């Protein structure tokens, strides 16, 4: 039995569980990888759902990334913050929004 003061992370299923698992395994993972290699067409929506459930998913926006031989602009990658759950502010009355980091290494294709 879990004490009342120690909430546990919610169960996730379907594409949310797939996205969470891939982020755990490959972090950071590019949004293109989730969409193209794992057939998850609404990656950003699944990340949003996971954040709404309290997971501490961090987004980094890369100005340029090489993916499958082409340079793509403003590409998101996802990783897990610490703690993984609950994200900071989630259990407060007014939860914080998702955290986004901008990678300012202009011109460097990754």
């Amino acid at each position: 039995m879990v004490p009342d003061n120690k909430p546990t992370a919610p169960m996730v299923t379907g594409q949310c569980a797939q996205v969470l698992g891939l982020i755990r395994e490959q972090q950071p993972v590019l949004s293109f990888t989730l969409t193209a290699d794992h057939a998850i067409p609404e990656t950003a929506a699944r990340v949003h759902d996971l954040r709404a459930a309290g997971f501490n998913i961090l987004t980094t926006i890369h100005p340029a990334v090489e993916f499958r031989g082409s340079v793509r602009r403003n590409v998101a990658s996802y990783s897990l913050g610490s703690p993984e759950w609950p994200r900071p502010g989630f259990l407060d009355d007014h939860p914080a929004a998702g955290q986004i980091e901008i990678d300012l290494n202009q011109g460097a294709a990754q």
Side-chain angles (χ1 to χ4, degrees):
M1 182 167 189
V2 177
D4 290 335
N5 62 349
K6 294 268 188 175
T8 59
M11 290 275 297
V12 291
T13 60
Q15 285 186 340
C16 284
Q18 188 178 7
V19 168
L20 183 60
L22 289 165
I23 293 171
R24 281 177 176 150
E25 291 171 13
Q26 301 177 18
Q27 64 180 320
V29 61
L30 293 174
S31 59
F32 283 127
T33 301
L34 296 170
T35 301
D37 296 345
H38 299 283
I40 302 169
E42 299 288 335
T43 297
R46 300 300 71 82
V47 168
H48 176 80
D49 295 342
L50 289 166
R51 281 192 186 119
F55 288 94
N56 192 9
I57 298 179
L58 308 175
T59 301
T60 301
I61 304 297
H62 305 275
V65 172
E66 185 172 331
F67 183 78
R68 294 187 178 172
S70 297
V71 175
R72 311 294 178 150
R73 304 281 177 215
N74 299 319
V75 178
S77 68
Y78 304 109
S79 59
L80 283 167
S82 182
E84 180 178 306
W85 190 94
R87 67 174 161 71
F90 179 71
L91 298 176
D92 297 344
D93 290 335
H94 303 288
Q99 299 174 356
I100 298 178
E101 176 183 324
I102 306 295
D103 181 355
L104 298 177
N105 295 324
Q106 298 293 331
Q110 298 178 0

